[in-house]
Structure formats: structure tokens, C-alpha cells
Amino acid sequence: MKKSLLLFMVIGCSMTVQSQKTPVFETSAKDEIAANRYLSGSNYLDYDRQLPTKALTPAPKGYEPYYMSHYGRHGSRWLIWEGEYTLPINTLKDARMAGKLTPVGEETLKKLEAFFPTTIKRLGDLTTVGERQHHGIGKRMTQNFPEIFKHKDVKIDARSTTVFRCILSMIAECEELAAANPTAQIHNDVSESLQYYLNQPWDGIVKQMGKGTGDKEEKIYKQKYTHPERLIKVLFNDEDWVRDNVAAGDFMRRLFDVAANMQSHDTDIELLSLFTDEEIYDQWRIRNIGWYLDYGPAPVSGQKMPFSQRNLLKNIIETADTITQTQATLRFGHEVCVMPLACLLELDNCGMAVENLDELDKYWRNYRIFPMGCNIQLVFYRPKKGDGDILVKALLNEREAYMPAQTDNWPYYKWQVLRQYYLDKLAKFDAENE
């Protein structure tokens, strides 16, 4: 009873501060994932396999969009570390040499061995799926906001981290913007000098904030929701041999990562069918909790981790202050920036503090925040004639999102109100962590 009351109090307080209204999930995460197994991939989710989107709300009467401030993650990629592929392959190869694989295990190893050559010298690279995602995002930008992107001589400032997959994602989007408007003045920039806000080093932030308090919880839930017994029987024919030679839980989690990321490729190799709906849900819960602890507003880490993106938010505010003409600022980076930024901005449920991690997915779901190609678009509106308030709306993965302010015209908010709210929030954090 006390735990339930604490959860209610934490969530209630967070929702009051966060916005006048936050969306309620209409279905459980378990049911959503059962209906669309790709969602279980968490940060490996293909952007184009998301839940259906709704039409955008028309601009308020007498207003027009004139500026977009954006941060987007690169598109789908190969896994980053060779061991993510080779460790499950080697486990199955050892079992094959010992005669311990079932027919399903043999077939699984054949699939992995057939795919592995495509990964050589490709680790972390953007895939064709990822390139396609950004062409689609760029094209929809021009369709959704022609007042900005088809405006004569619009200035587009596009900047990327120094990572190749981010640079190529930027190029793909800018190709669509240029195709839609040959008069657009597009400036691309890639530099180490931009890293302090485009991709602030995570390790330094962790050390500075005293992070580490969520490590124990993450380990507990990793064990709690990993149940490899059935999968082991499907792939191996000797449980005694497995017990002596295989770290079953780790093997299951690594195999799941490879299976989940297959959606990043144009391939007919499929591995998610190895897992039951319950196993897929549990593997996703592990990752949902892990990402929340590492980058979200988890109470166990003092809700500090979203402030890893305080330099990015400051850049967003400072850049918006300089805009006087039709323009767009596009920034390209990583999910470890998009997720905490969405939490720092308190978009929808992203900024919610949840004490009971067993119930986290009732209120906070990572696949709604950071699929491959995820992005935040802040669209600014001004009166067509005369003076008036500057309005802004937020799109999280092209869906209109709630923001932490009162409004009588959702999804549009007065920018000056939000601007001051965020500045006060940043100032309070800086004062408490000098």
C-alpha cells in the first residue's frame, strides 16, 4: 500500500509540473509489443515501423510557421561492437562442434553466419534502411511546413556530430530539402567544436553528477526479467552441457539484440520468432528500465540525468533568440541526446518520475522516444500581420506533444512562457550543482 501511494504521489507531482495534461496510453506496452514486435527493439526500432501517426493540427488562425529548431538521431545502423555479433555466434559454434545443437539451433547459427560477413568493416555504419528513414523525414518536413522549407531563399543551418552515420543522415535529409526548394540556402557543418552541445561526452556527465546509483537496480531487473530456460531447450539438446559452458542469461540477451536489430537491414533473415511474446516483452522491459535509469528522470539518480543535455537546450534557446527571418536549424546526433533532451523538455510523459520500476511501462516507454531516426522538432509560429505572441509546438517523432505550460490552444504554447520555464529550470540545476 505504501509503495502504491508513493508511486501515485511521484507521478501526480510530476504530471502537475510537467503540463496541464499528459496523454494516457490507451493500450498496455505488452499488448502494443505483441501487436508490433519490432517495438521491442527499443533504440533499434526502425523509425518507419512506429505506431500510426495522426494528422497535424492546423496553425492557429492568423499565424504561420517561420522557424524550425530540430535535433535528430542518425538512422538505422549496424551494431557497434563486433562482439555483439560474434559472442552469440561463437557460443552456437562451440555447441555445434560438441554436437549439442538442435535443428533450430543449427538453423539459427546458419542465419547468423550468413549475415556476419555484411558486418565486416561496417560496425556502426548507417544502413540503407537508415538512409531511407531520413529521406522520408526530410520529405515530410517540406510537406508539413512548406511555409518554412519552400520559402524563397530560406536559410537552413544543418550541423552534425563527427560520426559518419550522423553526417550521412544529415546529407539524406538535406537532399530532400534541396529537392523541394532549389533556392534554399543550406549550410552544412561538422566539427569537434560543436560536440559540446551536439554530443556532450556522457562519461564526464556521469562523473560530474555522481551517477552510479542506478547500476544496482539495473542489474536486479536484468536478472529478474531474463528467463532463458525455454529458449535454451529450443536451441541446445543437452542442458547439462549448457549449464557448464553457456552463460544462458547473457546469451539470451545478446541474441535478442541481434534479432531486434535485424530490422535495421534490408534482409530476409529473421530471428525474433525464436522468442515468445512473453520473452520479447520481458527483454524489452529490461532495456526500458535500463535506459530510464541511465538517461531518464529516475528518482534513484535524483532526476538529474536529463540535464546531461543542458548545453543542447541552452543552444536551442539561444539560437531561437537570434531568428528574425524564415529559417531552420537542424542538428544531428545520437539517441543518448534525443532521449534525455525529450525528458528535459518534459515532452508528453518523458519527464515523469516513477519510483516503482516494475510499473514503469505504464507511464514511460522508450520506443515512443528514441527509435532509429528519432527527432524533436520545435516549430515556431508568428502572426501573419501585426504584433503578437510567438507560439511554438513540439513534435516528438512527428507527433504533436504536450509541453510543461498551460495553454488554451494545444498543441500551441506561448514561447516566452516556455523559454522562461526552461531557463529557470537550468538556472536552478546549475545553482544546485556548482
Side-chain angles (χ1 to χ4, degrees), residues 33-161:
I33 291 170
N36 180 3
R37 286 182 147 213
Y38 295 107
L39 298 177
S40 66
S42 298
N43 59 319
Y44 300 142
L45 172 61
D46 175 3
Y47 189 87
D48 295 332
R49 295 184 187 273
Q50 294 182 93
L51 299 173
T53 59
K54 297 179 180 179
L56 298 182
T57 305
K61 185 177 180 180
Y63 275 80
E64 63 181 356
Y66 74 97
Y67 174 56
M68 176 185 286
S69 186
H70 155 283
Y71 188 98
R73 181 197 185 191
H74 59 77
S76 289
R77 57 162 170 78
W78 273 268
L79 297 176
I80 292 175
W81 176 49
E82 184 180 51
E84 293 178 278
Y85 295 108
T86 59
L87 290 176
I89 288 175
N90 290 340
T91 297
L92 292 171
K93 286 176 68 174
D94 289 345
R96 180 171 61 188
M97 291 180 62
K100 303 301 181 181
L101 285 183
T102 65
V104 175
E106 293 279 2
E107 182 62 26
T108 300
L109 178 55
K110 287 179 182 178
K111 289 181 178 181
L112 291 172
E113 289 181 322
F115 183 78
F116 181 71
T118 73
T119 73
I120 297 174
K121 296 186 178 181
R122 279 291 192 181
L123 298 173
D125 282 358
L126 190 73
T127 66
T128 53
V129 174
E131 183 181 22
R132 232 177 12 251
Q133 290 161 357
H134 281 280
H135 275 286
I137 293 167
K139 187 173 184 178
R140 287 188 295 275
M141 280 182 178
T142 68
Q143 294 170 342
N144 292 333
F145 306 105
E147 299 90 343
I148 298 175
F149 293 102
K150 295 185 180 180
H151 188 278
K152 184 179 179 181
D153 299 326
V154 60
K155 295 182 183 296
I156 300 173
D157 182 22
R159 301 184 174 194
S160 170
T161 71

Side-chain angles (χ1 to χ4, degrees), residues 11-12 49 73 117 141 158 196 232 304 348-349 369 407 427 433:
I11 291 173
R49 295 184 187 273
R73 181 197 185 191
M141 280 182 178
Y196 77 96
I232 292 300
K304 290 184 176 182
D348 288 342
N349 299 51
I369 307 172
T407 181
N433 293 273

Side-chain angles (χ1 to χ4, degrees), residues 201-273:
W202 186 66
D203 289 343
I205 295 299
V206 171
K207 185 176 180 180
Q208 180 180 338
M209 294 184 180
K211 175 65 175 67
T213 54
D215 293 348
K216 177 182 177 181
E217 288 77 7
E218 190 168 352
K219 184 177 180 179
I220 288 172
Y221 282 96
K222 185 180 289 186
Q223 298 299 320
K224 183 175 183 177
Y225 292 132
T226 300
H227 304 288
E229 295 81 13
R230 187 206 62 85
L231 179 66
I232 292 300
K233 291 180 181 179
V234 169
L235 298 177
F236 303 92
N237 60 28
D238 187 333
E239 293 182 54
D240 292 335
W241 183 90
V242 171
R243 184 175 57 252
D244 295 337
N245 295 276
V246 179
D250 185 62
F251 170 77
M252 181 182 194
R253 290 186 293 269
R254 292 189 182 280
L255 182 60
F256 181 82
D257 282 340
V258 177
N261 196 51
M262 281 298 172
Q263 61 188 291
S264 292
H265 302 274
D266 289 315
T267 179
D268 59 359
I269 295 176
E270 189 279 323
L271 295 167
L272 280 178
S273 60

